[in-house]
């Protein structure tokens, strides 16, 4: 079977994401939930807080007892007692009365607000002067003011941040239903590639792509699973691809930049059961010879062999697919860092160019300085702070043009 | 000893970072090096690549053999052989000669460039027509073009990204000297606080801060070490702080929003051996009652008890300190996401206000919508996409003002 190399517009590429099913779910302890993706909405099992609490040190009052109090005309209140931390007060506070309350203390019955200690003066154990009036609810968090029982804490498909973890702790939620982390198989092809453990013979190179792609998979929330280096022959490639697909949720095959290997990959894909090539060629540079296939329900990517191309394709296309697989329903949109281009940049129409840039902070603001160089050179990516996009229908960008820099 | 509460300007706070020593170093396998901080500069042990290699499929030539070749006036070359992947060619190519070479193949002796296969036509096994001329070095990565032997791959104090990991793989560097991850002890104080495992009695709350702070520490590259909840008395606090300091590189004590607990913290710090309070009060809101101390060479932070305040202080001040401790010498600067404010925002002069915002994408661009609410309410942080800063000497910002949003 000959390779059928036809560019698929990016919108159509991304539309294929819905063809792949999310990974299944599991339950993890709260302490391991950070950065995981929620598998279901969680509702508040109770009010938070469950009692009115003070957020300052001061005197708990009913607000009406303080109305009119000023520096020059202080109010005078009788002290009924002191609130102890973590315990319901055993007394009631009426009109003209008050009780000392520390930050976090529970409001005594009869009170609705707290006068900050800075605005009071203790006269003796039984009397205090108030120099400022308060409104009902002031300096207090009311029962259920943070969350009411049954409120939705969060929906399915969000990545758990430290604050979400804290919120679950607040409700005593010790086990969290999350999506499994997608297992992503990583394979490098090429008869000239040897593993990092080996000393390459003259004419050979060590495997760079497995290591960069593993890092990218890990940083996007997946579990990279190394399937090593495959020789450029049908039997080896078929066997290793089948093996990787069997044991993972998605496979990234990189290498095969030569037409021969690409043809081989297409042939392997066409012979794997229940396989369909969805995309063979995307309108980005570097990264055009990218393959996306649906194989027995699994996701298969054929990525370019040059390391920079493979990284660009991962950042531009693969990552959102893996995030969909991982259960994310509302990936927080990626925003670029605004900068201005240091120099003119030529580009061809009909494709999106991804250019590596260094960020330079000058007095007048931030500048994006293009790092030019072949996509086979890893140093261009090591020197880069990020990527900028030169749009599809542009013949290039002039020096000074505002651009968005996406960190790499 | 009474609390000495005096605001330290932020520049002075950050200047104290140099008082703390970096953690020591260790060596980790390459596969575990992602996101770790390099502990020394690494130089290239050899050229990369170690041979001239083709970056396209085509015909290896000496460029001069192609000069003048065009579509209408093709050049004619004799095919000397075919380059096999991963092996040095066993033949030499002279003027008027060529050899087929796949992507990644090693250039035969006598050649300096490659004509892409698209610009050739094979006549028979011994002859090929060339439709385009090439320059010396074209479509080739020359020996040492990516890195020359002895080139610095990267300096000490950078965080290893996927591309740096790939670069080490390229050189067969299987073990990497990195800084240890700082161990950061986390303690919550408060007689009203119970652990996530317990059911709070009426008037008690579960510990939120330990979980949010653990997440923040982990996300900034540290190892959070939980030291639980401490009662608000001198003996308990002294014992637990000493214990935490003994076993970690830095300690975050949160809670103690009441004046009584802050005084207690100051007293504990003053009694610990070799202890000095550097900062007691910072000009940010929320987060003013923040303590930084230097205790027996270790870093000690007293953070506000309200969860939002503690998170803001972590993001604004603690994180850069932990990154210094972690060995980072060139933290990639944090850039905000530019947006415009949806509404007027009042602020007091003399402090930096950190306001939680939601990002809203509209047709005319991105808007930052302030989430107002007490800093004791965790829902304001759960709803937030980021923080904006209202500067020290501003009385507020008007609707429409451009702001930078820092993700939380």
């Amino acid at each position: 079977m000959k390779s059928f190399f036809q560019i698929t517009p990016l919108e159509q590429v991304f539309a294929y994401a819905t063809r792949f099913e999310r990974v299944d779910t599991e339950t993890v302890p709260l302490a391991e939930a950070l950065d995981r993706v929620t598998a279901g909405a969680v509702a508040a099992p109770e009010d938070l807080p469950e009692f009115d609490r003070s957020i300052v040190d001061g005197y708990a009052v009913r607000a009406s007892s303080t109305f009119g109090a000023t520096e020059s005309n202080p109010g005078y209140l009788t002290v009924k007692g002191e609130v102890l931390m973590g315990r319901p007060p055993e007394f009631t506070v009426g009109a003209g009365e008050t009780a000392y309350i520390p930050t976090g203390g529970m409001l005594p019955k009869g009170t609705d607000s707290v006068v900050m200690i800075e605005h009071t003066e203790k006269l003796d154990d039984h009397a205090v002067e108030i120099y400022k009036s308060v409104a009902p609810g002031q300096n207090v968090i009311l029962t259920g003011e943070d969350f009411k029982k049954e409120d939705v804490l969060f929906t399915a498909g969000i990545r758990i941040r430290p604050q979400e973890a804290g919120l679950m702790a607040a409700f005593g939620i010790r086990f969290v239903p999350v999506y499994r982390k997608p297992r992503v198989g990583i394979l490098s092809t090429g008869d000239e590639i040897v593993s990092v453990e080996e000393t390459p013979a003259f004419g050979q190179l060590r495997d760079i792509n497995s290591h960069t792609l593993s890092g990218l998979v890990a940083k996007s929330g997946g579990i990279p699973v190394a399937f090593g280096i495959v020789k450029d022959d049908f039997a080896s490639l078929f066997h290793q691809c089948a093996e990787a697909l069997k044991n993972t949720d998605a496979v990234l095959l990189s290498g095969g930049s030569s037409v021969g290997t690409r043809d081989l990959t297409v042939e392997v894909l066409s012979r794997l059961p229940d396989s369909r090539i969805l995309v063979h060629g995307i309108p980005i540079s570097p990264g055009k010879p990218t393959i996306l296939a649906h194989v027995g329900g699994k996701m298969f990517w054929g990525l370019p062999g040059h390391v920079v191309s493979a990284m660009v394709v991962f950042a531009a296309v693969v990552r959102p697919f893996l995030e969909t697989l991982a259960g994310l329903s509302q990936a927080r949109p990626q925003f670029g860092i605004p900068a201005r281009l240091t120099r003119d940049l030529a580009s061809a129409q009909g494709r999106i160019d991804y250019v590596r840039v260094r960020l330079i902070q000058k007095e007048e603001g931030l500048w994006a300085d293009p790092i030019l160089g072949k996509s086979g050179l890893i140093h261009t990516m090591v020197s880069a702070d990020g990527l900028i996009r030169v749009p599809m229908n542009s013949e290039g960008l002039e020096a000074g043009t505002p651009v968005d820099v996406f960190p790499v």
Side-chain angles (χ1 to χ4, degrees), chain A:
Chain A
M1 180 182 161
K2 274 309 277 181
S3 156
F4 184 69
F5 195 75
Q6 195 181 333
I7 301 295
T8 307
L10 276 190
E11 314 79 71
Q12 195 178 325
V13 173
F14 287 118
Y16 286 126
T18 57
R19 302 269 185 113
F20 299 93
E21 270 183 45
R22 300 172 170 195
V23 294
D24 45 14
T25 64
E26 62 184 350
T27 297
V28 296
L30 177 57
E32 294 162 25
L34 188 69
D35 282 335
R36 301 297 300 268
V37 178
T38 54
V42 174
E46 61 208 25
D47 284 338
L48 182 71
E50 290 195 283
F51 56 92
D52 299 346
R53 59 194 296 252
S54 180
I55 54 174
V56 297
D57 294 337
Y59 283 89
V61 293
R62 59 180 65 175
S64 56
S65 302
T66 69
F67 291 170
T70 63
E71 286 273 352
S72 54
N73 183 28
Y76 176 94
L77 300 176
T78 304
V79 177
K80 277 295 284 288
E82 179 175 342
V83 176
L84 299 177
M85 292 299 281
R87 296 203 208 160
E90 282 163 358
F91 50 85
T92 306
V93 171
E97 293 179 340
T98 190
Y100 177 77
I101 190 166
T103 305
M106 178 173 177
L107 262 66
K109 278 213 183 75
T111 65
D112 57 14
S113 49
V114 177
V115 182
M116 289 174 78
I117 197 150
E118 293 89 320
H119 304 134
T120 66
E121 179 145 2
K122 195 175 169 182
L123 301 178
D124 57 42
D125 280 357
H126 305 292
V128 67
E129 275 187 339
I130 305 287
Y131 299 112
K132 205 167 177 181
S133 67
V134 287
Q138 196 169 338
N139 297 324
V140 168
I141 291 179
L142 297 169
T143 304
E145 188 176 346
D146 210 345
F147 286 89
K148 291 208 190 327
K149 189 174 175 173
E150 307 297 340
D151 275 355
V152 173
L153 301 183
F154 40 73
T155 57
I158 66 151
R159 213 181 274 289
I160 295 169
R161 297 175 297 172
Q163 53 266 56
E164 275 85 36
L167 181 57
M168 286 188 274
F171 285 110
I173 299 171
R174 293 162 55 200
F175 295 94
V176 192
V178 295
Y179 285 101
R180 257 201 311 112
K181 287 182 169 202
R183 288 167 56 83
V184 182
I186 294 172
L187 271 167
S188 284
T189 59
D191 288 339
E192 84 283 21
I193 306 295
V194 301
S195 80
V196 63
E197 287 83 11
E198 287 172 79
T199 302
F202 199 43
Q204 296 183 324
L205 276 179
R206 292 192 191 87
D207 179 18
I208 301 180
N209 290 13
S210 285
H211 294 266
T212 50
L213 290 171
S214 290
L216 290 169
V217 165
K219 286 186 85 70
S220 71
I223 299 173
V225 186
F227 283 88
I229 298 156
V230 200
K231 293 288 162 202
D232 264 343
D233 65 74
F234 182 85
S236 306
L237 199 59
F238 185 90
H239 173 78
Q240 275 300 81
C241 287
E243 195 63 22
L245 283 161
K246 199 169 69 188
N247 292 289
T248 60
D249 304 297
V251 170
L252 310 182
L253 171 73
S254 83
S257 286
S258 78
V259 172
T261 313
R262 278 212 302 277
D263 287 351
L264 206 58
T265 305
V266 168
E267 197 177 334
V268 163
L269 287 172
S270 73
R271 299 276 193 91
L272 283 164
D274 186 20
S275 166
R276 190 170 161 211
I277 295 178
L278 303 172
V279 174
H280 190 182
I282 56 177
I284 76 174
S285 172
K288 183 172 142 188
T290 292
I291 294 172
L292 169 61
H294 188 282
V295 190
K298 306 285 181 74
M299 187 184 286
F300 182 100
W301 290 95
L303 301 179
H306 294 313
V307 59
V308 174
S309 311
M311 290 192 80
V312 163
V313 172
F314 189 96
V317 188
V318 178
R319 183 183 291 135
F321 273 82
L322 292 186
E323 287 177 344
T324 305
L325 213 60
L328 268 184
S329 64
Q330 344 169 349
R332 285 178 196 271
Q334 283 227 327
F335 298 100
I337 300 157
R340 274 179 301 156
L341 210 53
T342 55
R343 40 161 287 171
D344 292 349
L345 212 51
S347 169
Q349 283 198 326
R351 69 181 195 205
I352 303 168
D353 275 2
Y354 284 82
V355 180
R356 285 87 76 201
V357 299
R358 217 179 267 111
L359 281 170
I360 302 174
Q361 184 78 60
K362 294 186 189 171
E363 240 172 79
E364 341 83 278
L366 205 57
W367 291 80
D369 188 37
I371 301 165
L372 303 179
K374 298 160 184 164
S375 61
L377 298 177
I378 190 170
H379 88 246
T380 62
M381 210 59 168
V382 171
S383 310
D385 294 309
L387 295 172
I388 63 168
R389 279 194 287 238
V390 185
M392 192 78 131
N393 295 316
S394 162
E395 288 178 11
L397 300 176
E398 280 179 23
T401 304
V403 290
D404 283 331
V405 180
F406 295 87
V408 286

